[in-house]
Amino acid sequence: MKVLILAGATATGKSTLAMELAREYSRDIISADSRQVYQGLRVGTAQASPEDKAAVPHHFQNFLSPDEQWSAQGFSRNALSVLREKADQTPIVVGGTGFYLKSLMEGLSPLSVSRSKTREIRKRIESLSTEELRNQLSSADPESAERIHQNDRQRILRALEVYLATGETLTDHHRKGRESPEDVEWKRVLLSCARSALHQNIEDRLDRMLDGSWQAEVRELMESGVNPEAPGMQTLGYPEVLAILRGDLSLKEAREKILIRTRQYARRQEIWFRKQEFDLIIQDLRGDGAREIRHWLAS
């Protein structure tokens, strides 16, 4: 089974290239993005357009309630199932959530922790502030603390409760018992671009999102009863857009905050991917790298 992986920081052109290849070679697209899974969060997570979805099958976009959690384990298990169903088609996995891609290719070790024990620990620590939890996690498992966003309270809680329940870090658990699916030939491709170009891409996309459609999307989510504190609503940019609607931030102020946070996020993604192995790194979507991918898909 052959699988193409298109990885890279936000706004590097992954989705554009994936759509071109999927149309050209009649492939399915599997989204490895921890935020595109949420229903109703189409604009702010840059989900595929209805037209693109009609032209090419997309998996793991717009299917999960914003009130629910999605995980690397859930993604890797379900994505591998889809890959096996499409084994003769060389599916395209595209995304910037590096840990999801790593878990798919290398597997995750199971955690043997009783639910009663984790519930007991969760009850004990969930009253702590996010900053207090983050400080504890930084001491116990600095690698997880570095990987998890500082405002992602649910994942911080999970990583800390694993440590308190087992005496081992979540990072250590993930290193144990990894087994890559033996019947998969991965083509690992990293999309990259110069810092100045990346920042311009981020800014241009943000301005398109803030032309009114993102505000309308968040307003509709609130009117439908979605909790502003729900996991999905902690997605980058959504708290700021909600602040616009509440009158707590001007459009200009929100734009600047989102722009800074997105650049910081892209930087963290770049650092993550720099530590991973890839078969090919490309900057020019029309250059030799893209032609090599096409040759591999056609072979």
Side-chain angles (χ1 to χ4, degrees):
M1 175 170 62
K2 295 171 64 174
V3 178
L4 174 63
I5 301 287
L6 294 181
T10 186
T12 50
K14 301 183 300 296
S15 297
T16 298
L17 180 57
M19 271 302 302
E20 289 181 3
L21 296 173
R23 284 176 177 271
E24 189 173 343
Y25 295 95
S26 300
R27 310 301 196 212
D28 282 23
I29 289 178
I30 295 176
S31 172
D33 185 296
S34 64
R35 294 296 165 172
Q36 289 185 348
V37 298
Y38 288 115
Q39 293 172 336
L41 276 68
R42 188 184 67 81
V43 176
T45 63
Q47 292 181 25
S49 67
E51 293 76 19
D52 283 346
K53 288 183 177 180
V56 171
H58 283 68
H59 303 268
F60 308 117
Q61 286 193 7
N62 201 48
F63 74 96
L64 192 71
S65 167
D67 296 316
E68 297 182 62
Q69 283 281 354
W70 188 233
S71 67
Q73 187 175 43
F75 166 75
S76 59
R77 181 178 62 250
N78 287 279
L80 190 57
S81 176
V82 173
L83 290 177
R84 297 204 185 285
E85 291 176 7
K86 307 290 182 177
D88 60 338
Q89 298 179 18
T90 314
I92 300 170
V93 181
V94 56
T97 306
F99 195 51
Y100 280 24
L101 295 169
K102 190 175 181 69
S103 69
L104 175 63
M105 292 184 286
E106 299 182 8
L108 288 174
S109 61
L111 292 176
S112 55
V113 186
S114 70
R115 288 185 177 274
S116 60
K117 188 170 185 178
T118 55
R119 278 197 299 267
E120 177 186 334
I121 292 170
R122 177 65 70 97
K123 186 176 181 181
R124 192 170 77 238
I125 65 175
E126 65 182 355
S127 61
L128 298 175
S129 69
T130 301
E131 183 177 1
E132 290 171 324
L133 292 169
R134 191 170 63 249
N135 289 338
Q136 287 195 27
L137 183 61
S138 294
S139 298
D141 184 1
E143 289 186 63
S144 290
E146 177 68 21
R147 185 179 69 250
I148 300 171
H149 189 274
Q150 61 181 3
N151 294 327
D152 196 338
R153 179 178 176 85
Q154 290 304 314
R155 286 192 171 87
I156 293 172
L157 270 169
R158 176 57 175 161
L160 186 56
E161 74 181 10
V162 166
Y163 173 74
L164 295 174
T166 67
E168 294 183 288
T169 67
L170 187 61
T171 303
D172 288 337
H173 279 287
H174 288 156
R175 287 178 179 142
K176 290 181 178 179
R178 290 180 180 270
E179 291 186 3
S180 175
E182 295 180 355
D183 59 340
V184 179
E185 178 188 348
W186 306 101
K187 182 70 170 180
R188 302 170 175 87
V189 179
L190 177 66
L191 274 65
S192 179
C193 61
R195 183 64 53 81
S196 59
L198 179 62
H199 283 185
Q200 190 61 57
N201 291 346
I202 289 171
E203 190 167 356
D204 291 345
R205 186 179 66 181
L206 177 58
D207 287 337
R208 290 194 298 271
M209 290 175 170
L210 288 173
D211 66 356
S213 54
W214 199 355
Q215 295 93 311
E217 178 178 85
V218 174
R219 184 180 295 108
E220 185 176 340
L221 287 164
M222 294 301 97
E223 290 175 351
S224 70
V226 173
N227 186 339
E229 302 301 320
M233 295 305 296
Q234 305 314 305
T235 297
L236 195 156
Y238 280 82
E240 288 81 5
V241 174
L242 183 57
I244 295 174
L245 298 180
R246 289 173 168 170
D248 297 331
L249 286 177
S250 68
L251 177 61
K252 182 178 179 180
E253 290 170 332
R255 179 187 183 277
E256 185 62 23
K257 284 179 177 291
I258 298 171
L259 189 58
I260 291 171
R261 288 184 61 201
T262 306
R263 288 173 175 172
Q264 291 171 338
Y265 175 58
R267 179 64 175 159
R268 292 195 300 273
Q269 289 177 301
E270 289 178 324
I271 292 171
W272 169 276
F273 288 126
R274 201 174 296 149
K275 299 175 182 177
Q276 312 306 314
E277 292 185 6
F278 290 93
D279 303 304
L280 181 65
I281 299 176
I282 63 175
Q283 291 187 328
D284 183 359
L285 301 188
R286 300 290 177 268
D288 292 341
R291 285 191 286 273
E292 180 178 331
I293 295 172
R294 284 178 163 85
H295 177 76
W296 185 80
L297 283 170
S299 64

